[in-house]
Amino acid sequence: MTSNKSTNQTLCDPVSTSSLPAFIFLYSLVFLVGSILNSFTLWFQFCRAQKNISKSWMIYLKNLIATDFLLCLTLPLRIADYADKSVTVHLFYCTFGAPIFYLNMYTSILLMGYIAASRYMKIFHPLRTSFLMTARAARSISVTTWVFFLVPLPVYIILMLGTKRTSPPARTCDVLLSEPAQQLYIFIHAAAFVVFLSVLFSLVFFYYSISRRVLQIQQRRLGSFNSKKLVTSRRNVLVLVSVFCICFVPYHVVRLLYVILRGQCSVVLYYLKEVTILISVFNICLDPLIYVFLCKDFRAQLNLQQMFSTTKDSSLSVSEAEDRSDNQPTQQ
């Protein structure tokens, strides 16, 4: 029974060599653009950005940039897997490249949720001192997140290394797993899907709540400073929601279908999964956009300040506007 299943999975290898050059070109392009953008943001963050270094959202943003940079470093392994038909290269990618690739993806997902939560708490609880809004808490949460995803990694790699190969594998990694690795694989993906749904619902809730608050203030015609900083916050959370939905929602919808229809040979579903993985990787090119919107100093470095300003005082970044007291007058 096991032999028949294995044979069926190997024969049902939907990879067409004619499509590989397209994936190689697109991944190479994303790698090039993402490496340039994230190298610059990483350099600015660690070498130039001293202001707001104690802000919780800045700590999460720094971790997000580091995660994107690490994700860039895994792309050459994925490109090599597409470019080389060698079984050794494929096994190396499935053992090391793929788990590190997905670890960085889900770390990015959680960090985006943390940034949005930090902005939400600053808007709705501006006068309340909370440990969760401190830099110390942000560092602790960031470290805990990395540990949470890193702990299963060596176990997975050991299980993969201990799996014996008796025949050339298919070009998908999931059919290579031994029985113990399969169980860990299912658990990890279930936990990752829960993380994705939790962050998705949280982002939608944060954006809805801030939008509702903006509408209430505009209807009551309250002070212009409060209105402007809330509009700025809504815009920045909208950027987070947009990047999140563009990059990660398509992959998880297709991934859910892929799990439900597991064992069935579907060329269309396979390529949908591959395309949505490519779209999810595109977040390394879009995440610097989050940095542009949230960080005034970074916009100034790129000479983009005027693009985000309609009046002199509206050039406040979300970090600066929200960290002021509500009754502070607008600068003239």
Side-chain angles (χ1 to χ4, degrees):
M1 184 69 178
T2 304
S3 178
N4 292 336
K5 182 180 178 181
S6 177
T7 302
N8 181 60
Q9 287 175 325
T10 303
L11 293 176
C12 184
D13 186 358
V15 179
S16 171
T17 55
S18 62
S19 65
L20 296 183
F23 282 113
I24 293 171
F25 171 75
L26 291 173
Y27 271 108
S28 299
L29 184 62
V30 171
F31 170 72
L32 178 63
V33 175
S35 297
I36 294 173
L37 292 176
N38 284 283
S39 295
F40 182 75
T41 52
L42 198 65
W43 167 81
F44 179 84
Q45 178 65 47
F46 286 94
C47 299
R48 299 294 299 272
Q50 300 299 325
K51 190 178 180 180
N52 294 327
I53 197 67
S54 62
K55 300 292 189 298
S56 60
W57 69 270
M58 201 68 170
I59 294 171
Y60 295 136
L61 191 57
K62 180 187 290 188
N63 278 272
L64 180 63
I65 296 166
T67 301
D68 289 339
F69 187 76
L70 291 175
L71 186 58
C72 285
L73 298 182
T74 67
L75 291 185
L77 286 176
R78 193 167 183 88
I79 295 170
D81 186 43
Y82 279 118
D84 197 326
K85 296 181 181 179
S86 168
V87 173
T88 302
V89 171
H90 181 62
L91 294 180
F92 185 83
Y93 167 73
C94 289
T95 303
F96 297 99
I100 296 174
F101 176 89
Y102 288 108
L103 179 148
N104 284 286
M105 177 194 294
Y106 286 100
T107 303
S108 296
I109 287 175
L110 270 179
L111 288 169
M112 291 174 70
Y114 297 156
I115 294 171
S118 175
R119 298 298 83 208
Y120 171 84
M121 293 180 68
K122 193 65 180 178
I123 287 295
F124 284 87
H125 307 287
L127 302 179
R128 184 183 302 174
T129 302
S130 173
F131 174 73
L132 293 176
M133 297 172 65
T134 64
R136 181 179 178 183
R139 294 188 185 96
S140 299
I141 292 172
S142 299
V143 171
T144 302
T145 300
W146 282 104
V147 171
F148 174 77
F149 285 113
L150 283 171
V151 166
L153 184 62
V155 179
Y156 180 87
I157 291 175
I158 291 171
L159 290 175
M160 285 292 292
L161 290 173
T163 303
K164 295 182 179 180
R165 316 294 177 200
T166 57
S167 61
R171 302 302 296 178
T172 55
C173 292
D174 52 349
V175 301
L176 305 177
L177 302 173
S178 61
E179 186 61 31
Q182 281 279 3
Q183 299 302 318
L184 181 60
Y185 175 87
I186 293 172
F187 172 78
I188 290 174
H189 275 271
F193 197 77
V194 171
V195 167
F196 162 75
L197 287 179
S198 300
V199 175
L200 175 61
F201 292 146
S202 298
L203 288 175
V204 173
F205 170 76
F206 295 149
Y207 179 70
Y208 170 78
S209 300
I210 295 175
S211 297
R212 187 177 179 182
R213 177 64 65 88
V214 169
L215 182 61
Q216 290 173 347
I217 287 183
Q218 289 175 342
Q219 288 175 343
R220 297 172 186 173
R221 297 182 179 180
L222 298 180
S224 61
F225 180 76
N226 284 337
S227 178
K228 285 176 182 177
K229 75 174 186 178
L230 281 172
V231 169
T232 304
S233 298
R234 181 180 62 178
R235 180 200 67 188
N236 286 296
V237 174
L238 178 60
V239 172
L240 282 167
V241 174
S242 300
V243 172
F244 186 91
C245 291
I246 290 171
C247 295
F248 301 122
V249 170
Y251 166 73
H252 285 86
V253 170
V254 173
R255 186 70 200 181
L256 183 61
L257 292 174
Y258 193 82
V259 171
I260 292 173
L261 300 176
R262 185 175 175 82
Q264 298 186 27
C265 184
S266 174
V267 175
V268 174
L269 189 59
Y270 170 80
Y271 281 107
L272 277 175
K273 181 172 73 74
E274 292 299 304
V275 170
T276 53
I277 290 175
L278 177 60
I279 294 173
S280 71
V281 171
F282 192 60
N283 85 293
I284 65 175
C285 300
L286 293 181
D287 281 352
L289 185 65
I290 298 173
Y291 205 109
V292 169
F293 275 91
L294 264 68
C295 186
K296 178 184 176 182
D297 293 337
F298 188 68
R299 294 200 300 269
Q301 185 76 19
L302 298 177
N303 296 321
L304 296 176
Q305 191 62 42
Q306 293 302 318
M307 184 181 299
F308 292 81
S309 304
T310 55
T311 62
K312 186 175 182 180
D313 58 17
S314 67
S315 64
L316 291 168
S317 69
V318 64
S319 60
E320 291 176 280
E322 292 173 1
D323 288 328
R324 292 187 178 189
S325 60
D326 289 345
N327 60 357
Q328 184 174 345
T330 307
Q331 292 181 353
Q332 300 296 330

